[in-house]
Amino acid sequence: MARPIHRLTHPIGLLLLFTASILLLITTLSAPIINHVGLLRVTLRNETQTRHSSVSFGTFGYCILDVPPVTSHQDYCTHRHIGYDPSDVVAHIDSALSPTSKPPSEIGAGTSGALTRVMVLHPIICGILFIAFLVSLGAGVIGSLLGALVAFLAWVLTIVVLATDFSLFGIVKHHVNRDGSGSRAYYGAGMWLLVVGFVLEFFGMVVVLFSCWGARREKRRGGGGTGRKKKFGVF
């Protein structure tokens, strides 16, 4: 007899939730922990064929990669801490490389500094997703339902994080690309991993919820069948 479809799709939902938690973990471990993984990357105007100087902004700080003028490749990274001001970092670097560059607006600088504190949600979402994965391992009605609810909480928080991260680094990206310093900014791998994780969270949540519905339906059918047998047994 063929297995019910919800028993086949449930492992897929688990895989999606687990993969999403790993992607959020990588985003959490972005610069200054993993130097070259960042939410925003700014290539500096002093970049050459032999030296690719850039700034990698991450969850708990940033790294200035391939710092000149040392002949060997070396990176400078800040200590890990909650909240920093990317606009201020860019302003100091641009003023050193190009004194004629435009400074960021006070509103933009203040906003970017405040929004970085919201990035503390990155590890929290990662933990919640892993909890959703563990809870959903039960594969029963209660386990699937609780797993879907926990995954939904992580998904809502990810919406908040995506909105703040794109707003925060969008401000910095817009300024860098228009300040006339010659530096260029673009979203880094950490940002796109966050986006992919958001999509996987949604589909993982839906699949696990479908498994809950399928398990409940199968349980009702099983209960109904047993009841009919007992009824006919009486007669």
Side-chain angles (χ1 to χ4, degrees):
M1 184 178 178
R3 296 181 64 186
I5 188 171
H6 73 87
R7 293 182 182 272
L8 299 175
T9 57
H10 187 75
I12 298 176
L14 292 176
L15 179 62
L16 292 175
L17 292 179
F18 181 75
T19 304
S21 67
I22 295 299
L23 296 182
L24 265 294
L25 177 62
I26 297 175
T27 300
T28 300
L29 297 178
S30 57
I33 301 174
I34 303 178
N35 298 5
H36 291 267
V37 177
L39 296 163
L40 184 75
R41 191 74 169 264
V42 179
T43 57
L44 304 178
R45 63 171 296 178
N46 63 340
E47 181 183 27
T48 64
Q49 292 182 351
T50 58
R51 185 167 298 283
H52 305 283
S53 298
S54 61
V55 185
S56 179
F57 293 101
T59 299
F60 296 117
Y62 63 92
C63 288
I64 303 177
L65 308 176
D66 210 359
V67 180
V70 183
T71 55
S72 60
H73 297 284
Q74 67 174 11
D75 303 334
Y76 164 78
C77 296
T78 62
H79 295 292
R80 295 184 290 273
H81 57 278
I82 298 174
Y84 63 97
D85 194 342
S87 294
D88 186 59
V89 175
V90 171
H92 279 83
I93 294 176
D94 283 348
S95 63
L97 298 178
S98 177
T100 59
S101 62
K102 300 177 182 178
S105 65
E106 293 183 2
I107 296 178
T111 302
S112 66
L115 290 178
T116 54
R117 299 184 182 278
V118 182
M119 289 194 292
V120 72
L121 289 176
H122 289 171
I124 294 176
I125 296 172
C126 176
I128 293 175
L129 278 174
F130 191 71
I131 292 174
F133 165 74
L134 293 178
V135 172
S136 300
L137 282 175
V141 176
I142 296 178
S144 297
L145 180 59
L146 289 178
L149 291 176
V150 175
F152 176 74
L153 173 61
W155 185 69
V156 172
L157 291 177
T158 307
I159 293 177
V160 176
V161 165
L162 279 174
T164 54
D165 285 2
F166 273 106
S167 298
L168 158 65
F169 292 112
I171 293 172
V172 180
K173 178 174 175 288
H174 181 269
H175 167 73
V176 170
N177 291 336
R178 293 175 180 269
D179 65 356
S181 65
S183 300
R184 306 303 299 174
Y186 56 92
Y187 295 118
M191 184 70 81
W192 301 121
L193 289 176
L194 182 61
V195 173
V196 175
F198 169 74
V199 176
L200 294 182
E201 287 175 42
F202 175 77
F203 285 106
M205 174 184 64
V206 171
V207 171
V208 170
L209 191 60
F210 171 78
S211 300
C212 172
W213 173 79
R216 183 177 177 83
R217 186 178 179 184
E218 182 184 16
K219 188 175 181 180
R220 284 183 174 180
R221 286 181 175 179
T226 304
R228 285 193 296 271
K229 288 181 180 179
K230 289 182 178 179
K231 184 175 180 180
F232 284 111
V234 172
F235 288 100

